[in-house]
Amino acid sequence: MKKYFLVALLATVSFSSCSTSDDVQEPEVVDPVVEPEPEEELDRADYPIQDFMYGAMNLYYLYKGDIPELADTFFTDEDSYIKYLSENPDPEAFYNDELLSDQDRFSFLTDNYIELENSFSGVSKSNGLKFSLVRFSNSDNIFGYVRYVAPNSTASETIIERGDLFTEIDGTTLTINNYQTLLAQDTYTLNIAAVANNTVSPTGETVTLSKVEGFEENPVYIAKTLEIDGAKIGYLMYNSFVSNFDDELNNAFAQFKADGITDLVLDLRYNGGGSVATAIDLTSMITGQFDGEIITKQQWNAEAQAYFESESPESLLSRFNSTIYTGTASEQPINSLNLMRLYVIGTGSTASASELTITGLRPYIDVKTIGSTTVGKFQASTTLYDSDNFGRTNANPNHTYAIQPLIYTYRNADDVVGPPTGIEPDFELEEDLTNLGELGNPTEPLLSLALDQILGRSRSTKRSAGPAYQLIGETDMFSPTYQRMYDNKLPNINK
């Protein structure tokens, strides 16, 4: 027992000695203090495109009330505003994701306002082929049919004409998934088809078309006087409200006036709109006896509306006028017909300034519509640039971004607002692919129906057409001005 006690005692002494040695304190290592990196100071000058777009939308956007960030009191200081600009460095994403209302189908941004201005002037890269795209029932396959061919275009030099169909491009069948890519090419070959017994079949013919830069199309496509049963009836097919061609439009009315027409058929079936000023001119050409009377009353966002009502209430009104609006002092007298009734041909491709013409005239004269329901687009837009007053003069030379936001809607003189579902026809008739007819010919189905009403040849109010197909798109859907109505007379707001 003593032996074991001695071993235990020695072990205890040995352990105690080791513990005493380990108790020596090592100096504590302290990590050096690292100063935080100072936050990079933000400057609004680093985001000039976002800054200009926000400022323009804050002043003029029709649906400003839908976007909380556009409220004048949303940002409490400069730093929070600049941080907001910096969070989305891509201008297109910033505009589309941050500044547009969900109810807005038409506002857009461009990174090349030169191209946009050319489009407003009727200048584009085009082969002159004007078509509709239609979907086969229960299929992803589509086909196109030719509405008309623009004069002096590359398409006008080929055999293709109104009523021709095409199902393939470069030998590839058109589908809902590929048609945009195929039609976007500068040069392509159409495989021509025909319809018979509600079946579309290839004819074996092909047509190769090439787009050219700087193509300019006169929107006054047909202007002629028809003499039928002793009556002189004017027929005007007008395909776009382009101010650059206001003189040509006015000249057409001079001829109608000289011919002594008593009625007018205004064919807007393919007219997606354009210049508000030109639409006002057109209403004044059709009439003339209402000079100075109100055509439309504009409605802007709440702040802009209050400002204009206080500072310049007349700027909210469009009126019949007696001179062509050209933007210069050399305004030309309008050739007016003093008509008291009008027959308008419209379709699902008729929009914006076309609908303004119909709606604006209805309080003053009897306007009857023939065809099918229009688009229902009653808001105007304008081009806003990166400048002190958002105008074209002194625009920032470092980029070519511009925005085209909706800025107002309108009522007519009777305070009627255009229906968002479109203007329904008084006399309904769809275009029939099997019988499109020759535009401007009195036997063409839609024109014939209009003439029936003028001449009292028919009391019909509703007429059906041939087989119906689902409309997918049309030529001008690729244009930045497609179904847009624009106003280049932007009143200033001084905050």
Side-chain angles (χ1 to χ4, degrees), residues 186-349:
D186 287 346
T187 299
Y188 52 74
T189 298
L190 301 178
N191 295 76
I192 306 300
V195 61
N197 299 321
N198 203 21
T199 301
V200 177
S201 305
T203 65
E205 293 181 299
T206 62
V207 174
T208 299
L209 301 174
S210 295
K211 299 174 185 175
V212 295
E213 290 281 6
F215 177 71
E216 192 171 28
E217 180 185 354
N218 183 350
V220 182
Y221 185 65
I222 301 173
K224 62 193 296 187
T225 297
L226 306 173
E227 295 192 32
I228 306 173
D229 297 341
K232 291 185 177 181
I233 302 167
Y235 173 77
L236 173 64
M237 185 167 196
Y238 187 56
N239 291 330
S240 183
F241 288 78
V242 181
S243 294
N244 287 34
F245 289 91
D246 279 358
D247 285 343
E248 286 78 359
L249 183 61
N250 200 32
N251 290 340
F253 276 81
Q255 188 60 55
F256 289 145
K257 192 172 183 178
D259 291 343
I261 69 167
T262 56
D263 282 285
L264 176 67
V265 178
L266 176 61
D267 193 340
L268 303 176
R269 73 181 75 190
Y270 304 139
N271 192 321
S275 167
V276 170
T278 299
I280 300 302
D281 285 345
L282 179 57
T283 62
S284 301
M285 292 174 194
I286 293 165
T287 58
Q289 65 272 47
F290 307 110
D291 191 26
E293 295 294 321
I294 293 171
I295 301 174
T296 63
K297 307 172 185 178
Q298 299 169 8
Q299 185 68 46
W300 298 62
N301 69 54
E303 291 88 351
Q305 187 73 16
Y307 178 86
F308 293 138
E309 288 177 354
S310 172
E311 300 296 326
S312 56
E314 184 61 29
S315 67
L316 295 172
L317 305 176
S318 294
R319 299 180 182 272
F320 290 100
N321 52 41
S322 58
T323 57
I324 293 291
Y325 176 77
T326 61
T328 69
S330 58
E331 296 178 343
Q332 300 298 316
I334 280 178
N335 296 307
S336 299
L337 298 180
N338 296 293
L339 296 178
M340 286 304 298
R341 66 177 183 177
L342 175 70
Y343 294 84
V344 181
I345 296 175
T347 66
S349 296

Side-chain angles (χ1 to χ4, degrees), residues 72-88:
D72 294 347
T73 57
F74 185 84
F75 295 104
T76 56
D77 53 50
E78 178 82 353
D79 289 343
S80 60
Y81 169 66
I82 298 173
K83 186 175 185 298
Y84 167 73
L85 298 181
S86 71
E87 288 173 346
N88 207 329

Side-chain angles (χ1 to χ4, degrees), residues 90-101:
D90 178 63
E92 184 171 350
F94 177 75
Y95 185 71
N96 292 324
D97 298 343
E98 299 292 335
L99 301 180
L100 294 188
S101 166

Side-chain angles (χ1 to χ4, degrees), residues 392-404:
R392 179 67 161 84
T393 304
N394 298 321
N396 188 336
N398 297 320
H399 67 83
T400 55
Y401 276 96
I403 59 175
Q404 191 77 24

Side-chain angles (χ1 to χ4, degrees), residues 13 20 39 156 278 395 466:
V13 173
T20 302
E39 289 189 14
S156 69
T278 299

